[in-house]
Amino acid sequence: CRDYAAKRKREGKSNSTVRTELELLRACLRWHYGRDAPQIPAPPPSRPRDRFLTTEERDRLLEAIPSPHAKLFAILAFTTGARMGAILDLTWDRVNLDVGTIDFNAAGRDKTNKRRTVVPINDRARAALKEARDLAETDHVIEYGGKPVASVKKAIAAASRRAGIKCSPHDFRRSAARWMAEADVPMEEIAQFLGHTTTRLTYSVYARFSPRFMARAAKALDW
């Protein structure tokens, strides 16, 4: 297992990826052998990514995206905090501009740990969605050339190079969460908005950005 982990690291895989693969092996062996299953050593998980965009970087990046489908994706990612897969899967029947909600749960989708939620549409997203709906050629909100889009990673990577801002599509979700925390939105509400299964992750990553987080504790030590 250690040799395998070293080999995968040489191939450029992260600790978390190697750990996931070895944990799958561990689960299979435990299922088959029970308590007699051999011990499977796995590397510690990678440190969580800590890349957040400022609002100024967000605006520069949006200006550097020429293609309408990639720009719409970025706007929805920044305004909903949804994952790339959820946004690319989104169809117009789950966008309710009258009520003002987006339902990222596709009918028949198996539920996983990456939970999807129903979120409100803010003014910035509403304007972009209305414009896109008037020009829509497919059922999918993010489309290009009359077809759904499988990935926007290349488009975002090209825009990030033009803007001089190193980022990935998933950084949009993290940035949205940080902006909510900085606006003093309660962690429980942020967790619901992002679809976290518990608030533990929300607190561990984003609470430090909230201006009032632990303020009462600090005040109790004042004199």
Side-chain angles (χ1 to χ4, degrees), residues 32-188:
H32 185 76
Y33 293 107
R35 293 182 178 180
D36 295 328
Q39 295 295 316
I40 303 296
S46 306
R47 292 183 60 185
R49 294 180 64 180
D50 204 23
R51 175 68 171 111
F52 302 98
L53 277 71
T54 66
T55 54
E56 186 271 337
E57 287 177 323
R58 174 200 63 199
D59 295 342
R60 279 170 48 202
L61 185 70
L62 287 173
E63 290 178 0
I65 303 177
S67 52
H69 75 282
K71 180 168 288 189
L72 177 60
F73 166 85
I75 291 172
L76 291 178
F78 285 135
T79 58
T80 68
R83 296 180 177 87
M84 181 174 70
I87 296 174
L88 296 182
D89 287 345
L90 183 63
T91 49
W92 285 109
D93 61 310
R94 289 182 281 122
V95 178
N96 193 327
L97 291 174
D98 295 328
V99 176
T101 59
I102 296 175
D103 184 354
F104 284 109
N105 293 287
R109 176 181 178 269
D110 293 334
K111 290 187 177 181
T112 67
N113 288 336
K114 295 184 177 180
R115 193 161 61 94
R116 298 183 182 181
T117 59
V118 179
V119 299
I121 301 172
N122 65 19
D123 292 341
R124 186 69 180 85
R126 180 183 295 276
L129 286 167
K130 281 185 175 181
E131 182 179 353
R133 188 178 62 177
D134 292 340
L135 302 173
E137 298 179 0
T138 72
D139 292 336
H140 280 75
V141 174
I142 308 297
E143 62 175 22
Y144 179 76
K147 297 179 180 179
V149 176
S151 175
V152 293
K153 288 183 178 180
K154 288 184 178 179
I156 299 303
S160 68
R161 288 192 297 270
R162 284 191 292 269
I165 301 169
K166 188 176 181 180
C167 63
S168 70
H170 196 66
D171 293 330
F172 301 172
R173 173 178 169 84
R174 282 192 292 271
S175 300
R178 175 171 176 167
W179 299 333
M180 285 188 282
E182 290 176 338
D184 212 22
V185 176
M187 291 296 115
E188 291 77 10

